[in-house]
Amino acid sequence: MSTPLVAVVGRPNVGKSTLVNRIVGRRAAIVEERPGVTRDRKEFDADWQGRVFRLVDTGGWLAPNDAGLTGEETALAAKVSKQAEAAMKEADVLVLVVDAVTGITDEDQRVARVLQRSERPVVVAVNKVDDERREADAWEFSRLGLGEPVPVSALHGRLSGELLDAIE
């Protein structure tokens, strides 16, 4: 039996790499405040309660015609998005990371539509839920049509076990 592959996807700066680092238990993925740092997909070994899996960190997914991008930025966004799409096709489970502080964006909705067609199980990880007061904000993301969202704080590790249970 092959090792399950879990792809972490979403738009830029929602905390995908921070979440990957939390799950693998070390600073393996590069984390920066500015968008576009993760460009190629990166794979890491991970396990949860003895169950081993491969975790794929992908770059932020942007629509190629995103307003405000220069021609060079549009070309880069297309390449990063293509890498994310390839990871999605190979994955056994997809984790869509979204931002509780920002709320649902048009880009989140575009990614959700692609994931709905993927025929893969999807877990919606609502990141930046740093305390229980923000937990109610996570329910907004059920509107994406991908099932019950899981609130989590990748930075602080809050509710990361619940997220891993959902992934499993």
Side-chain angles (χ1 to χ4, degrees), residues 46-60:
D47 77 87
W48 175 240
Q49 298 184 343
R51 181 150 180 185
V52 176
F53 57 97
R54 297 279 298 154
L55 194 62
V56 182
D57 185 23
T58 64

Side-chain angles (χ1 to χ4, degrees), residues 60-132:
W61 193 329
L62 287 173
N65 59 353
D66 195 11
L69 294 181
T70 66
E72 189 174 300
E73 290 169 330
T74 298
L76 178 60
K79 289 177 184 174
V80 171
S81 295
K82 186 173 251 179
Q83 286 287 324
E85 289 171 20
M88 285 175 35
K89 288 177 184 167
E90 296 169 13
D92 298 296
V93 176
L94 303 168
V95 177
L96 172 61
V97 182
V98 293
D99 184 334
V101 175
T102 306
I104 296 175
T105 66
D106 291 344
E107 198 62 42
D108 292 330
Q109 292 174 333
R110 282 192 283 273
V111 174
R113 283 193 293 274
V114 171
L115 296 179
Q116 287 168 346
R117 294 188 301 265
S118 74
E119 299 182 11
R120 302 275 193 283
V122 178
V123 176
V124 178
V126 183
N127 193 24
K128 303 182 185 177
V129 179
D130 296 335
D131 59 46
E132 59 191 29

